[in-house]
Amino acid sequence: MGDEATRELSVTPDAVAGGTTHVSDEVVEKIAVAAVKSVPGVAELGGDVARFFNAVLDKVGLDQVGDARRGCSAHVTNGAAVVNLVLVIEAGRPVPQVTQEVRAAVTKAVEAYGLRVDEINIRVDDVALGDPVVPAGPLA
């Protein structure tokens, strides 16, 4: 046994196994939603139906179910993503400015994961007018 020498193998880029990497649609959706939520002027994501069901889930204590992808769908093909968003914009915010900022934020975030963004389609579904004013005292 004394004649056996320990030999170290160096790992070089040539020695790394090949294969393919696929980023799922769901991962891109989560990345995009996080980016959209960081844009000033975006009140919520999702259409009327999605927001209704999320409100119901909130009431029964399941408020995190589906939140990560609500209002967003994505499709990844050959390293390129197409992202579809449904937004509610805060009242008084210019739609072109908000959507331009959303596109920039989503593109930057998705491309940071090594993907290319081919399209970001946005549908503005509603405008958030703010909380309704509730009278302070009893009604006469």
mmCIF file of all heavy atoms in Angstrom, residues 101-132:
data_model
loop_
_atom_site.group_PDB
_atom_site.id
_atom_site.type_symbol
_atom_site.label_atom_id
_atom_site.label_comp_id
_atom_site.label_asym_id
_atom_site.label_seq_id
_atom_site.Cartn_x
_atom_site.Cartn_y
_atom_site.Cartn_z
ATOM 1 N N GLU A 101 -41.875 51.723 -17.722
ATOM 2 C CA GLU A 101 -41.061 51.353 -16.568
ATOM 3 C C GLU A 101 -41.221 49.874 -16.219
ATOM 4 O O GLU A 101 -40.268 49.223 -15.809
ATOM 5 C CB GLU A 101 -41.403 52.241 -15.376
ATOM 6 C CG GLU A 101 -40.945 53.670 -15.562
ATOM 7 C CD GLU A 101 -41.366 54.596 -14.420
ATOM 8 O OE1 GLU A 101 -41.752 54.101 -13.342
ATOM 9 O OE2 GLU A 101 -41.306 55.824 -14.618
ATOM 10 N N VAL A 102 -42.436 49.344 -16.376
ATOM 11 C CA VAL A 102 -42.677 47.918 -16.139
ATOM 12 C C VAL A 102 -41.860 47.088 -17.133
ATOM 13 O O VAL A 102 -41.184 46.128 -16.747
ATOM 14 C CB VAL A 102 -44.179 47.578 -16.237
ATOM 15 C CG1 VAL A 102 -44.405 46.079 -16.373
ATOM 16 C CG2 VAL A 102 -44.927 48.131 -15.033
ATOM 17 N N ARG A 103 -41.917 47.451 -18.410
ATOM 18 C CA ARG A 103 -41.153 46.711 -19.420
ATOM 19 C C ARG A 103 -39.652 46.732 -19.113
ATOM 20 O O ARG A 103 -38.971 45.725 -19.228
ATOM 21 C CB ARG A 103 -41.427 47.252 -20.811
ATOM 22 C CG ARG A 103 -42.752 46.825 -21.377
ATOM 23 C CD ARG A 103 -42.917 47.219 -22.852
ATOM 24 N NE ARG A 103 -44.152 46.662 -23.357
ATOM 25 C CZ ARG A 103 -45.320 47.291 -23.352
ATOM 26 N NH1 ARG A 103 -45.411 48.527 -22.888
ATOM 27 N NH2 ARG A 103 -46.406 46.704 -23.811
ATOM 28 N N ALA A 104 -39.144 47.898 -18.717
ATOM 29 C CA ALA A 104 -37.715 48.017 -18.410
ATOM 30 C C ALA A 104 -37.344 47.157 -17.202
ATOM 31 O O ALA A 104 -36.319 46.448 -17.225
ATOM 32 C CB ALA A 104 -37.353 49.480 -18.157
ATOM 33 N N ALA A 105 -38.161 47.189 -16.150
ATOM 34 C CA ALA A 105 -37.870 46.415 -14.938
ATOM 35 C C ALA A 105 -37.931 44.922 -15.191
ATOM 36 O O ALA A 105 -37.067 44.160 -14.738
ATOM 37 C CB ALA A 105 -38.850 46.811 -13.820
ATOM 38 N N VAL A 106 -38.953 44.479 -15.927
ATOM 39 C CA VAL A 106 -39.097 43.045 -16.215
ATOM 40 C C VAL A 106 -37.959 42.575 -17.117
ATOM 41 O O VAL A 106 -37.368 41.517 -16.881
ATOM 42 C CB VAL A 106 -40.476 42.741 -16.833
ATOM 43 C CG1 VAL A 106 -40.550 41.302 -17.340
ATOM 44 C CG2 VAL A 106 -41.580 43.005 -15.816
ATOM 45 N N THR A 107 -37.632 43.348 -18.133
ATOM 46 C CA THR A 107 -36.540 42.967 -19.034
ATOM 47 C C THR A 107 -35.242 42.823 -18.261
ATOM 48 O O THR A 107 -34.530 41.817 -18.404
ATOM 49 C CB THR A 107 -36.377 44.006 -20.163
ATOM 50 O OG1 THR A 107 -37.589 44.048 -20.910
ATOM 51 C CG2 THR A 107 -35.224 43.658 -21.081
ATOM 52 N N LYS A 108 -34.925 43.802 -17.441
ATOM 53 C CA LYS A 108 -33.680 43.756 -16.663
ATOM 54 C C LYS A 108 -33.652 42.531 -15.741
ATOM 55 O O LYS A 108 -32.641 41.828 -15.656
ATOM 56 C CB LYS A 108 -33.535 45.038 -15.849
ATOM 57 C CG LYS A 108 -32.277 45.108 -15.021
ATOM 58 C CD LYS A 108 -32.181 46.424 -14.270
ATOM 59 C CE LYS A 108 -30.928 46.469 -13.409
ATOM 60 N NZ LYS A 108 -30.845 47.701 -12.636
ATOM 61 N N ALA A 109 -34.748 42.269 -15.057
ATOM 62 C CA ALA A 109 -34.805 41.155 -14.111
ATOM 63 C C ALA A 109 -34.683 39.807 -14.812
ATOM 64 O O ALA A 109 -33.927 38.934 -14.367
ATOM 65 C CB ALA A 109 -36.102 41.219 -13.307
ATOM 66 N N VAL A 110 -35.413 39.624 -15.899
ATOM 67 C CA VAL A 110 -35.383 38.337 -16.609
ATOM 68 C C VAL A 110 -34.023 38.119 -17.273
ATOM 69 O O VAL A 110 -33.465 37.020 -17.222
ATOM 70 C CB VAL A 110 -36.543 38.248 -17.625
ATOM 71 C CG1 VAL A 110 -36.409 37.012 -18.505
ATOM 72 C CG2 VAL A 110 -37.888 38.235 -16.894
ATOM 73 N N GLU A 111 -33.468 39.162 -17.872
ATOM 74 C CA GLU A 111 -32.172 39.024 -18.519
ATOM 75 C C GLU A 111 -31.059 38.747 -17.514
ATOM 76 O O GLU A 111 -30.053 38.128 -17.861
ATOM 77 C CB GLU A 111 -31.860 40.255 -19.369
ATOM 78 C CG GLU A 111 -32.699 40.290 -20.626
ATOM 79 C CD GLU A 111 -32.432 41.493 -21.528
ATOM 80 O OE1 GLU A 111 -31.732 42.449 -21.088
ATOM 81 O OE2 GLU A 111 -32.928 41.479 -22.671
ATOM 82 N N ALA A 112 -31.231 39.153 -16.262
ATOM 83 C CA ALA A 112 -30.247 38.848 -15.224
ATOM 84 C C ALA A 112 -30.145 37.342 -14.981
ATOM 85 O O ALA A 112 -29.134 36.866 -14.459
ATOM 86 C CB ALA A 112 -30.614 39.574 -13.929
ATOM 87 N N TYR A 113 -31.162 36.594 -15.373
ATOM 88 C CA TYR A 113 -31.155 35.140 -15.238
ATOM 89 C C TYR A 113 -30.666 34.452 -16.514
ATOM 90 O O TYR A 113 -30.793 33.244 -16.655
ATOM 91 C CB TYR A 113 -32.547 34.627 -14.850
ATOM 92 C CG TYR A 113 -32.840 34.844 -13.390
ATOM 93 C CD1 TYR A 113 -33.264 36.070 -12.920
ATOM 94 C CD2 TYR A 113 -32.664 33.814 -12.474
ATOM 95 C CE1 TYR A 113 -33.519 36.283 -11.572
ATOM 96 C CE2 TYR A 113 -32.917 34.011 -11.130
ATOM 97 C CZ TYR A 113 -33.333 35.252 -10.687
ATOM 98 O OH TYR A 113 -33.578 35.446 -9.345
ATOM 99 N N GLY A 114 -30.147 35.222 -17.443
ATOM 100 C CA GLY A 114 -29.554 34.639 -18.639
ATOM 101 C C GLY A 114 -30.515 34.373 -19.775
ATOM 102 O O GLY A 114 -30.168 33.685 -20.730
ATOM 103 N N LEU A 115 -31.700 34.902 -19.685
ATOM 104 C CA LEU A 115 -32.686 34.721 -20.756
ATOM 105 C C LEU A 115 -32.797 36.001 -21.574
ATOM 106 O O LEU A 115 -32.423 37.075 -21.129
ATOM 107 C CB LEU A 115 -34.053 34.381 -20.171
ATOM 108 C CG LEU A 115 -34.128 33.074 -19.396
ATOM 109 C CD1 LEU A 115 -35.457 32.987 -18.659
ATOM 110 C CD2 LEU A 115 -33.969 31.896 -20.332
ATOM 111 N N ARG A 116 -33.341 35.863 -22.755
ATOM 112 C CA ARG A 116 -33.635 37.012 -23.615
ATOM 113 C C ARG A 116 -35.136 37.266 -23.523
ATOM 114 O O ARG A 116 -35.926 36.331 -23.446
ATOM 115 C CB ARG A 116 -33.230 36.677 -25.063
ATOM 116 C CG ARG A 116 -33.387 37.835 -26.026
ATOM 117 C CD ARG A 116 -32.954 37.460 -27.442
ATOM 118 N NE ARG A 116 -34.014 36.702 -28.093
ATOM 119 C CZ ARG A 116 -33.917 35.423 -28.462
ATOM 120 N NH1 ARG A 116 -32.812 34.756 -28.266
ATOM 121 N NH2 ARG A 116 -34.930 34.801 -29.047
ATOM 122 N N VAL A 117 -35.533 38.525 -23.538
ATOM 123 C CA VAL A 117 -36.956 38.872 -23.515
ATOM 124 C C VAL A 117 -37.350 39.321 -24.906
ATOM 125 O O VAL A 117 -36.836 40.308 -25.415
ATOM 126 C CB VAL A 117 -37.245 39.979 -22.481
ATOM 127 C CG1 VAL A 117 -38.720 40.361 -22.511
ATOM 128 C CG2 VAL A 117 -36.830 39.537 -21.091
ATOM 129 N N ASP A 118 -38.245 38.564 -25.540
ATOM 130 C CA ASP A 118 -38.716 38.918 -26.876
ATOM 131 C C ASP A 118 -39.903 39.879 -26.839
ATOM 132 O O ASP A 118 -40.003 40.779 -27.660
ATOM 133 C CB ASP A 118 -39.105 37.667 -27.664
ATOM 134 C CG ASP A 118 -37.899 36.918 -28.216
ATOM 135 O OD1 ASP A 118 -36.771 37.455 -28.150
ATOM 136 O OD2 ASP A 118 -38.094 35.797 -28.709
ATOM 137 N N GLU A 119 -40.829 39.655 -25.897
ATOM 138 C CA GLU A 119 -42.039 40.494 -25.815
ATOM 139 C C GLU A 119 -42.488 40.617 -24.378
ATOM 140 O O GLU A 119 -42.364 39.669 -23.600
ATOM 141 C CB GLU A 119 -43.218 39.846 -26.556
ATOM 142 C CG GLU A 119 -43.157 39.831 -28.036
ATOM 143 C CD GLU A 119 -44.393 39.153 -28.628
ATOM 144 O OE1 GLU A 119 -45.506 39.265 -28.055
ATOM 145 O OE2 GLU A 119 -44.239 38.508 -29.664
ATOM 146 N N ILE A 120 -43.019 41.788 -24.057
ATOM 147 C CA ILE A 120 -43.737 41.986 -22.799
ATOM 148 C C ILE A 120 -45.051 42.651 -23.175
ATOM 149 O O ILE A 120 -45.083 43.815 -23.567
ATOM 150 C CB ILE A 120 -42.948 42.853 -21.809
ATOM 151 C CG1 ILE A 120 -41.611 42.191 -21.477
ATOM 152 C CG2 ILE A 120 -43.775 43.092 -20.545
ATOM 153 C CD1 ILE A 120 -40.702 43.035 -20.616
ATOM 154 N N ASN A 121 -46.116 41.878 -23.101
ATOM 155 C CA ASN A 121 -47.455 42.364 -23.445
ATOM 156 C C ASN A 121 -48.167 42.764 -22.160
ATOM 157 O O ASN A 121 -48.214 41.991 -21.204
ATOM 158 C CB ASN A 121 -48.234 41.276 -24.178
ATOM 159 C CG ASN A 121 -47.498 40.834 -25.428
ATOM 160 O OD1 ASN A 121 -47.176 41.645 -26.278
ATOM 161 N ND2 ASN A 121 -47.191 39.550 -25.520
ATOM 162 N N ILE A 122 -48.700 43.970 -22.141
ATOM 163 C CA ILE A 122 -49.336 44.491 -20.928
ATOM 164 C C ILE A 122 -50.779 44.876 -21.231
ATOM 165 O O ILE A 122 -51.056 45.569 -22.197
ATOM 166 C CB ILE A 122 -48.574 45.719 -20.395
ATOM 167 C CG1 ILE A 122 -47.126 45.346 -20.067
ATOM 168 C CG2 ILE A 122 -49.291 46.305 -19.175
ATOM 169 C CD1 ILE A 122 -46.258 46.530 -19.694
ATOM 170 N N ARG A 123 -51.677 44.421 -20.364
ATOM 171 C CA ARG A 123 -53.070 44.851 -20.418
ATOM 172 C C ARG A 123 -53.370 45.582 -19.111
ATOM 173 O O ARG A 123 -53.214 45.015 -18.028
ATOM 174 C CB ARG A 123 -54.018 43.667 -20.568
ATOM 175 C CG ARG A 123 -55.468 44.140 -20.771
ATOM 176 C CD ARG A 123 -56.444 43.008 -20.957
ATOM 177 N NE ARG A 123 -56.908 42.608 -19.630
ATOM 178 C CZ ARG A 123 -57.134 41.361 -19.262
ATOM 179 N NH1 ARG A 123 -56.921 40.367 -20.066
ATOM 180 N NH2 ARG A 123 -57.555 41.097 -18.043
ATOM 181 N N VAL A 124 -53.749 46.846 -19.216
ATOM 182 C CA VAL A 124 -54.153 47.601 -18.041
ATOM 183 C C VAL A 124 -55.625 47.294 -17.840
ATOM 184 O O VAL A 124 -56.470 47.677 -18.646
ATOM 185 C CB VAL A 124 -53.887 49.108 -18.208
ATOM 186 C CG1 VAL A 124 -54.393 49.873 -16.993
ATOM 187 C CG2 VAL A 124 -52.400 49.361 -18.432
ATOM 188 N N ASP A 125 -55.924 46.578 -16.750
ATOM 189 C CA ASP A 125 -57.272 46.062 -16.519
ATOM 190 C C ASP A 125 -58.125 47.002 -15.673
ATOM 191 O O ASP A 125 -59.348 46.959 -15.747
ATOM 192 C CB ASP A 125 -57.178 44.695 -15.833
ATOM 193 C CG ASP A 125 -58.518 44.031 -15.691
ATOM 194 O OD1 ASP A 125 -59.097 43.659 -16.736
ATOM 195 O OD2 ASP A 125 -58.998 43.893 -14.548
ATOM 196 N N ASP A 126 -57.467 47.851 -14.878
ATOM 197 C CA ASP A 126 -58.245 48.679 -13.966
ATOM 198 C C ASP A 126 -57.372 49.834 -13.471
ATOM 199 O O ASP A 126 -56.163 49.846 -13.680
ATOM 200 C CB ASP A 126 -58.714 47.843 -12.774
ATOM 201 C CG ASP A 126 -59.951 48.403 -12.077
ATOM 202 O OD1 ASP A 126 -60.366 49.533 -12.401
ATOM 203 O OD2 ASP A 126 -60.485 47.709 -11.192
ATOM 204 N N VAL A 127 -58.024 50.780 -12.822
ATOM 205 C CA VAL A 127 -57.348 51.903 -12.192
ATOM 206 C C VAL A 127 -57.742 51.880 -10.724
ATOM 207 O O VAL A 127 -58.928 51.793 -10.391
ATOM 208 C CB VAL A 127 -57.762 53.243 -12.834
ATOM 209 C CG1 VAL A 127 -57.176 54.404 -12.068
ATOM 210 C CG2 VAL A 127 -57.355 53.297 -14.286
ATOM 211 N N ALA A 128 -56.753 51.948 -9.839
ATOM 212 C CA ALA A 128 -57.023 51.988 -8.401
ATOM 213 C C ALA A 128 -57.254 53.425 -7.999
ATOM 214 O O ALA A 128 -56.378 54.271 -8.129
ATOM 215 C CB ALA A 128 -55.840 51.395 -7.639
ATOM 216 N N LEU A 129 -58.457 53.704 -7.543
ATOM 217 C CA LEU A 129 -58.827 55.066 -7.189
ATOM 218 C C LEU A 129 -58.480 55.422 -5.748
ATOM 219 O O LEU A 129 -58.687 56.541 -5.323
ATOM 220 C CB LEU A 129 -60.332 55.282 -7.412
ATOM 221 C CG LEU A 129 -60.789 55.118 -8.862
ATOM 222 C CD1 LEU A 129 -62.293 55.222 -8.960
ATOM 223 C CD2 LEU A 129 -60.109 56.159 -9.751
ATOM 224 N N GLY A 130 -57.992 54.492 -4.991
ATOM 225 C CA GLY A 130 -57.653 54.745 -3.595
ATOM 226 C C GLY A 130 -58.769 54.252 -2.702
ATOM 227 O O GLY A 130 -59.814 53.791 -3.144
ATOM 228 N N ASP A 131 -58.525 54.373 -1.405
ATOM 229 C CA ASP A 131 -59.505 53.910 -0.428
ATOM 230 C C ASP A 131 -60.688 54.872 -0.378
ATOM 231 O O ASP A 131 -60.496 56.088 -0.406
ATOM 232 C CB ASP A 131 -58.877 53.813 0.958
ATOM 233 C CG ASP A 131 -57.791 52.748 1.013
ATOM 234 O OD1 ASP A 131 -57.915 51.757 0.272
ATOM 235 O OD2 ASP A 131 -56.835 52.918 1.795
ATOM 236 N N PRO A 132 -61.908 54.351 -0.265
ATOM 237 C CA PRO A 132 -63.059 55.224 -0.146
ATOM 238 C C PRO A 132 -63.004 55.963 1.202
ATOM 239 O O PRO A 132 -62.497 55.440 2.187
ATOM 240 C CB PRO A 132 -64.260 54.282 -0.197
ATOM 241 C CG PRO A 132 -63.717 52.944 0.145
ATOM 242 C CD PRO A 132 -62.273 52.945 -0.264
#
